[in-house]
Amino acid sequence: MSLRPTIEIRKAMPHVEGAGVKLHRAFGFQDPSELDPFLLFDDFRNDTPEDYLRGFPWHPHRGIETITYVLSGSVEHGDSLGNTGTLGAGDVQWMTAGSGIMHQEMPQGNAAGQMHGFQLWGNLPASQKMTAPRYQDVASAEIPEVIDDDGTQVKVIVGSFWGNKGPVDGIAADPQYLDIRVPAGVRKTFRIDTYRRAFAYVFEGQAAFADASAPSGVLLEKEVAGEEVNIRDMSGDRTLVRFGTGDEITVQAGPDGVRFLLISGAPIAEPVAWHGPIVMNTQAELQQAMRDLRNGTFIRPAH
């Protein structure tokens, strides 16, 4: 076994998207090779309805897939294919934009006015950029949750883990998407296929992630030796942890435990031409998409 080094630890940054939704962006619109096949990750979490109710009105996508995971509140969606629906707490939607789709996503808070969810963008390889659009809506009850003897809980949203398979399938990036809770003080190791790019996103509690080099590895060495670990040295709320190559990660939960997403996928390793919600391989393809938007041919008829 080889421990994945921690390449980078950084906080998600405040951002405004859609029609004025306040959110935090962990990555996106930077170097697309960093976390290939993933392009963007947003944490939309608010206790103030005026910060999210204007939502994400009608907008186009082409050449990507998006996964929306709702923790609290709900998201009403509609698209140019005539699909409509509502994602509730714990529900997941994977949208393959393919050749082109127009859709809208309108968040609604829970009874206390709170809204929390995540959206991840996955790239599509050149061979699937112009595939037919499709949706996979998955209810919370369909998502397997496994609990280990030490109290660790894992929701398997996509991929296989601990003998359980997530309900979302047929995704180009062959991803693994896990929602993990590790109880206070527990040290836990998770396997990840070596060929995948991987990151963790902490959104509750605190944790130290082991590293092949300092500082995170030092933190875990202190923990094993019974020395005090300063909680300020741990990764806390809204923190992205980007990993290098290896086949496992180790996490040490803080005094309040930790909850994080662990996401990995197979790199596509193709050129990226990117403008807003449209991601193609060449500038010529990007320009064609813009022409299609202008002349009304962006949405392709179903065959």
Side-chain angles (χ1 to χ4, degrees):
M1 301 297 172
S2 60
L3 186 66
R4 285 180 176 252
T6 300
I7 295 177
E8 182 181 21
I9 299 175
R10 68 173 181 245
K11 284 285 190 179
M13 301 301 293
H15 191 78
V16 177
E17 195 57 86
V21 177
K22 294 182 179 179
L23 50 81
H24 283 71
R25 179 159 291 167
F27 63 88
F29 296 99
Q30 296 163 324
D31 179 358
S33 67
E34 272 190 355
L35 284 164
D36 180 17
F38 306 115
L39 298 163
L40 176 146
F41 182 85
D42 283 344
D43 178 347
F44 50 98
R45 181 190 332 181
N46 273 298
D47 298 330
T48 308
E50 54 263 33
D51 288 343
Y52 61 77
L53 282 178
R54 289 186 296 272
F56 308 91
W58 293 97
H59 58 280
H61 282 291
R62 177 179 283 183
I64 64 170
E65 299 183 284
T66 66
I67 184 170
T68 304
Y69 178 29
V70 178
L71 293 185
S72 60
S74 62
V75 176
E76 296 178 358
H77 68 88
D79 68 35
S80 53
L81 303 176
N83 297 308
T84 60
T86 301
L87 299 177
D91 295 348
V92 174
Q93 180 188 84
W94 197 294
M95 181 191 77
T96 303
S99 61
I101 200 166
M102 300 288 293
H103 78 150
Q104 66 172 354
E105 298 159 302
M106 306 303 288
Q108 306 291 321
N110 59 18
Q114 300 166 323
M115 177 68 215
H116 190 192
F118 306 105
Q119 187 164 94
L120 173 70
W121 290 12
N123 199 6
L124 281 169
S127 61
Q128 297 184 38
K129 287 286 188 192
M130 299 300 287
T131 191
R134 68 171 181 146
Y135 275 93
Q136 295 182 67
D137 283 342
V138 179
S140 176
E142 299 176 50
I143 298 173
E145 183 171 4
V146 288
I147 304 176
D148 208 1
D149 294 341
D150 59 11
T152 297
Q153 302 175 37
V154 181
K155 288 186 177 181
V156 186
I157 296 170
V158 187
S160 298
F161 187 77
W162 286 353
N164 289 265
K165 184 174 176 58
V168 181
D169 62 7
I171 307 304
D174 186 27
Q176 185 181 60
Y177 190 128
L178 309 174
D179 177 354
I180 299 174
R181 291 180 188 264
V182 181
V186 170
R187 186 185 191 198
K188 197 73 176 174
T189 296
F190 300 94
R191 293 290 309 278
I192 302 176
D193 289 343
T194 305
Y195 71 92
R196 297 172 181 267
R197 296 271 171 80
F199 69 91
Y201 183 76
V202 178
F203 61 97
E204 286 181 17
Q206 312 85 20
F209 289 85
D211 196 349
S213 59
S216 298
V218 173
L219 290 178
L220 289 182
E221 288 168 10
K222 286 183 179 180
E223 190 71 32
V224 171
E227 299 176 27
E228 182 178 352
V229 176
N230 191 329
I231 194 170
R232 290 175 300 178
D233 294 329
M234 291 188 162
S235 295
D237 187 25
R238 293 192 176 108
T239 300
L240 175 78
V241 182
R242 189 160 61 95
F243 302 107
T245 303
D247 54 22
E248 63 181 21
I249 68 158
T250 296
V251 59
Q252 173 70 52
D256 300 318
V258 67
R259 187 177 180 187
F260 64 98
L261 303 179
L262 181 59
I263 299 174
S264 61
I268 294 173
E270 292 178 351
V272 172
W274 186 355
H275 180 73
I278 299 173
V279 184
M280 305 304 289
N281 293 106
T282 67
Q283 287 298 316
E285 291 169 341
L286 202 56
Q287 290 162 8
Q288 182 61 55
M290 297 299 122
R291 285 193 295 271
D292 290 345
L293 276 170
R294 289 193 299 269
N295 64 26
T297 58
F298 188 78
I299 307 300
R300 306 296 176 93
H303 294 293

